[in-house]
Structure formats: structure tokens, C-alpha cells
Amino acid sequence: SRNPEKEITFAKASIGYEGILYLDGSARFDWQSTAAADDNRVETYGGSFSFIFSKLLESNDVLTFGKLRASIAQAPQFPGIYDIVQTYDVGTPYSNYGSLSYPGTLVNPRLIGGVREEMEFGTELKFLNSRIGLDVTYFEKTDDQLPVSVSLDGSTGYTATRSNDGRQKYKGWEV
């Protein structure tokens, strides 16, 4: 089958106080057939907090809305559908003869799912009766144990394999 089998369980809870403070949390459990059969579950969690401080200020025409926010969230990343099971590449037929070949990538049946995590801190401000707005966010993303391609010496008969060594970090500002 070209479609991986997936099972997902998700739970979320939210609470607010006086329209000023908000707190959210979530949990997600994913199982997918494209990861190693004995280690194919990835657990991810998330949470966010927001504080609408402008509701505590006297009404004015300069700052009409102000919010501070922070969040952390995770998302599962699974291997591709052909990363754990060896398949053949189907070539272009010549005359009445078809062709099959081994792909250049050695499969790794031990691949597992990885996690992408993102943390954000930001503010949203609106001025002059919401005519001008400013939304500023600082973020950090981390990818951990993602399946990545690793080069192999050609004498092995393959040019690459896949491994759970992928780790990347990104950070920056959004305005």
C-alpha cells in the first residue's frame, strides 16, 4: 500500500480567566507504520499562555490592544513510506522487456519517528483604534532524531542510507 497506516490520540485542555489570561495544553500520541515496528510511537506535547494586558489599562486612543504570549509545541516527523522496506526501482521498458533495479539507498528498518519542537515568545499591539498593528515574535525550532540521508562509500553497493541522526536548530524573529 502507498498509504502508511496511522493511529493518533489527541487531547486538549483550555482555561481562561476574566478574558485576560489564557492557558492551553495538549498531548498527542502518534503511531505510524513507516517507523520500526517495535518503536513506532511518538509522543508530543504543547502548551501556550497569553496575557491581554490592555484590558487592565484605561481605555485610550493610543494603545487599543496589547497581548503578550508564549508557547511551546511539538510535532511528530516519521520516516518516508519506502525508508524501512527494500523495494525495486522500475525502469523504462525496452521493447517487450521490463527492467527492475536496486535503488542506491540502503534501507534502515530501525528508523523511528522524530520530533520537531518550536518555542515562541511574542507580543501583539494595536494602536490608534486598531489602524496600526505590530506583531513581533521570537522563535526557536529544534528538529531531533529526524530521518536524514547519510552518504556511504560506493564499494558497499549503495550511495546512501537513512539514519535518525538529524538534528537542526533554527531561531529568529518574525515581524
Side-chain angles (χ1 to χ4, degrees):
S1 170
R2 292 179 189 252
N3 297 320
E5 292 185 27
K6 299 178 183 181
E7 291 186 21
I8 301 168
T9 301
F10 181 78
K12 182 178 179 182
S14 299
I15 189 168
Y17 176 75
E18 300 284 326
I20 296 173
L21 295 173
Y22 297 93
L23 183 63
D24 299 292
S26 65
R28 178 176 167 158
F29 305 102
D30 288 74
W31 295 264
Q32 189 163 313
S33 63
T34 60
D38 60 344
D39 197 4
N40 64 352
R41 176 174 150 173
V42 176
E43 299 177 11
T44 54
Y45 303 93
S48 67
F49 171 79
S50 61
F51 171 50
I52 303 175
F53 64 86
S54 59
K55 290 193 175 186
L56 299 176
L57 304 175
E58 286 187 33
S59 182
N60 64 73
D61 292 336
V62 178
L63 179 65
T64 50
F65 180 80
K67 176 171 71 172
L68 297 173
R69 64 180 182 274
S71 68
I72 186 166
Q74 298 175 320
Q77 301 286 320
F78 283 95
I81 193 162
Y82 299 114
D83 288 344
I84 64 169
V85 177
Q86 189 68 58
T87 59
Y88 289 97
D89 287 335
V90 178
T92 305
Y94 177 74
S95 186
N96 290 332
Y97 302 103
S99 68
L100 296 174
S101 62
Y102 238 42
T105 300
L106 175 65
V107 299
N108 180 354
R110 301 296 317 146
L111 286 177
I112 60 173
V115 174
R116 170 171 282 165
E117 181 174 280
E118 183 170 355
M119 183 175 43
E120 290 187 1
F121 301 97
T123 186
E124 182 180 348
L125 304 170
K126 293 184 181 176
F127 302 96
L128 305 173
N129 290 324
S130 299
R131 289 189 191 131
I132 299 173
L134 177 64
D135 196 336
V136 178
T137 303
Y138 174 77
F139 69 90
E140 288 187 13
K141 293 181 186 179
T142 304
D143 296 340
D144 192 27
Q145 290 190 326
L146 297 189
V148 294
S149 184
V150 178
S151 296
L152 293 176
D153 188 289
S155 65
T156 64
Y158 297 96
T159 57
T161 189
R162 306 277 289 165
S163 175
N164 281 104
D165 295 329
R167 182 170 179 85
Q168 296 178 323
K169 284 192 163 217
Y170 315 85
K171 58 184 174 180
W173 290 90
E174 294 176 347
V175 180

